[in-house]
Amino acid sequence: MNYKNFPMVPRVIFGRGSFNQLSEIISPKRLSSAAPFIYLVDDVFKSNSWLTSRISLSYDDRIIYISTKEEPKTSQVDTLVEEIILSTKARPSGIIGIGGGSVLDLAKAVSIMLTNEGETRLYQGWDLVKNPGLYHVGIPTLSGTGAEVSRTTVLTGPDKKLGINSDFTPFDQVVLDPELTKDVPCDQWFYTGMDCFIHSIESLKGTYLNAFSKTYGDMAFNLCQEVFLNNSALSKEETEDKLMMASWHGGMSIVYSQVGIAHAMSYGLSYVLGTKHGIGNCVVFDHLEEFYPEGVQLFKKMKMKHNIELPQGICAQLSEEEMNAMINIALGLEPLWENALGKNWKKRISSKQLKSLYLKM
Ligand code: NAD
Ligand code: ZN
């Protein structure tokens, strides 16, 4: 057996208000006065001085606001990298991403692409990155994806949606300040939180499971139940703290295993319909009782408790071609199916089954 040797986030600060310490954390990393820190910030914070007034800009430091209407694309990374190269006198000292999974992934990708040649799409895959990226810091403002700990950055390219999985992808520093999540709208809180719940289920019910993944997965699973089902004894602050830690553990759990069927099928929805990750996972998971009976039952309880109405019939209008594309994208994610159903997964799932599942969504 040849075990994989994974990198981890080497530094993390946790606590409400820890965001205030950002400038003292990063200032030793400044390479020169000509080498700025570039902040990629979700544009939902554009006129939010509670957050932005605490970003202290010196020399040529600057903030680039990022729209998260659509999830990150390889072409978007290329444009950002070019813009940064053209507008800075020296290679930046670091990239700081402040936002949900979308902005965290963009920050990781931009940091890599500032030190690696060619187009971003060439690096979608496993271990294709040659040079370490720039110093990069992740500051989540939305909990659930695990993007703050993961070794990947998920990007939609011209012909596939696939991560840049590499040893250079994880952040050099993460700032976990649960207070930054206080204004997330309820629906979004649920969808992205469920991403974490689904990570834990897919990891714990997968055939790749081992003690490393199980311990982290159990932790994420239990925290999600506390936050989404048994939260009557918890303050809002406590739920924010716990969900941020659930996200971290859910992300750690899949480092040494894989996600499963909900993610495979949600990637199909995303590629063909542009459905976002959190809501797409919920739409799919709602119909996966057959594969994850207890998990789906708990999910339905959580959905009811928080009055979440998922969209219906989103695949009803698809052409034959689009449906086939969706199925092919989903089935192409072989490790996810192998994790979910075992080595003989091809005997246990067919295009026909997938089509009938998609038509229910
Ligand atoms: P997101 O980053 O797309 O944000 C969703 C919405 O929430 C946006 O409208 C954003 O403006 C808003 N938002 C974020 N923080 C807010 C705050 N504090 N207050 C108010 N609004 C706020 O959503 P997400 O679910 O966190 O991320 C999804 C992305 O993460 C997808 O692109 C997915 O592919 C990626 N992802 C990556 C990994 C990984 O390991 N790299 C894992 C899972 C998902
Ligand atoms: Zn996910």
Side-chain angles (χ1 to χ4, degrees):
M1 182 77 185
N2 187 26
Y3 295 101
K4 287 198 179 130
N5 184 15
F6 290 116
M8 278 174 48
V9 172
R11 280 189 179 261
V12 55
I13 180 170
F14 174 85
R16 303 183 74 82
S18 59
F19 182 56
N20 294 334
Q21 286 169 243
L22 180 61
S23 73
E24 85 192 52
I25 292 168
I26 65 174
S27 60
K29 302 287 178 185
R30 188 182 292 279
L31 300 170
S32 77
S33 57
F37 285 110
I38 309 284
Y39 295 82
L40 305 182
V41 180
D42 190 309
D43 71 2
V44 76
F45 296 113
K46 206 162 187 173
S47 45
N48 182 330
S49 63
W50 174 76
L51 185 132
T52 54
S53 67
R54 292 186 280 163
I55 300 176
S56 80
L57 302 176
S58 8
Y59 306 106
D60 296 335
D61 294 353
R62 64 192 186 101
I63 297 178
I64 301 176
Y65 287 103
I66 304 288
S67 160
T68 47
K69 256 212 181 86
E70 293 181 340
E71 294 188 339
K73 295 194 177 59
T74 56
S75 57
Q76 186 184 10
V77 176
D78 292 331
T79 308
L80 276 166
V81 166
E82 195 175 297
E83 190 185 321
I84 291 170
I85 291 173
L86 291 175
S87 66
T88 49
K89 293 183 213 119
R91 186 179 269 186
S93 295
I95 306 294
I96 297 134
I98 305 178
S102 296
V103 174
L104 296 181
D105 276 359
L106 269 179
K108 294 187 206 180
V110 166
S111 113
I112 287 170
M113 292 313 300
L114 279 163
T115 56
N116 287 277
E117 283 185 356
E119 289 176 71
T120 305
R121 64 183 173 86
L122 302 172
Y123 297 92
Q124 284 179 284
W126 281 269
D127 301 304
L128 303 170
V129 180
K130 293 181 194 69
N131 308 315
L134 295 184
Y135 175 71
H136 52 303
V137 180
I139 309 181
T141 65
L142 177 55
S143 296
T145 64
E148 64 280 12
V149 286
S150 78
R151 188 179 174 270
T152 188
T153 155
V154 184
L155 301 170
T156 302
D159 47 29
K160 54 184 179 265
K161 178 175 177 186
L162 183 62
I164 300 179
N165 299 267
S166 85
D167 283 353
F168 305 123
T169 307
F171 286 111
D172 297 298
Q173 168 80 56
V174 169
V175 176
L176 295 179
D177 181 347
E179 202 178 22
L180 300 181
T181 65
K182 70 182 174 61
D183 297 320
V184 174
C186 180
D187 283 14
Q188 189 65 55
W189 168 78
F190 185 82
Y191 300 144
T192 302
M194 284 302 107
D195 190 22
C196 173
F197 180 67
I198 296 168
H199 290 159
S200 76
I201 301 287
E202 291 183 325
S203 172
L204 291 169
K205 296 295 166 196
T207 61
Y208 289 2
L209 191 65
N210 53 55
F212 184 102
S213 299
K214 183 170 183 337
T215 43
Y216 285 110
D218 281 339
M219 206 106 75
F221 177 72
N222 292 329
L223 285 166
C224 284
Q225 289 202 74
E226 273 191 74
V227 169
F228 291 101
L229 280 181
N230 311 317
N231 59 355
S232 47
L234 299 179
S235 65
K236 182 169 185 294
E237 288 76 15
E238 284 169 317
T239 61
E240 289 163 6
D241 293 5
K242 283 177 191 269
L243 189 56
M244 193 162 269
M245 289 320 297
S247 176
W248 183 276
H249 286 94
M252 284 303 296
S253 178
I254 46 184
V255 166
Y256 237 115
S257 64
Q258 245 314 341
V259 285
I261 300 176
H263 276 76
M265 294 189 69
S266 159
Y267 270 44
L269 289 181
S270 159
Y271 197 79
V272 176
L273 293 172
T275 313
K276 297 186 98 188
H277 189 78
I279 192 170
N281 282 352
C282 288
V283 167
V284 173
F285 198 63
D286 207 25
H287 295 282
L288 297 183
E289 301 94 327
E290 189 187 338
F291 303 101
Y292 304 108
E294 298 99 5
V296 174
Q297 215 175 14
L298 283 171
F299 171 80
K300 288 186 188 289
K301 273 195 199 160
M302 295 173 178
K303 199 177 68 164
M304 198 139 83
K305 180 168 170 124
H306 299 286
N307 299 314
I308 301 294
E309 295 249 8
L310 294 172
Q312 305 278 330
I314 61 173
C315 296
Q317 308 293 327
L318 290 182
S319 69
E320 192 73 22
E321 229 176 16
E322 288 170 317
M323 177 59 83
N324 288 337
M326 201 174 265
I327 293 169
N328 289 336
I329 295 266
L331 287 177
L333 295 160
E334 301 206 354
L336 281 63
W337 293 99
E338 188 179 290
N339 176 43
L341 301 174
K343 284 245 178 295
N344 291 324
W345 65 270
K346 284 183 181 150
K347 296 209 176 89
R348 297 193 48 200
I349 190 83
S350 64
S351 310
K352 214 173 128 200
Q353 271 170 289
L354 278 194
K355 183 171 177 181
S356 91
L357 278 170
Y358 273 131
L359 286 174
K360 285 192 207 164
M361 293 171 190

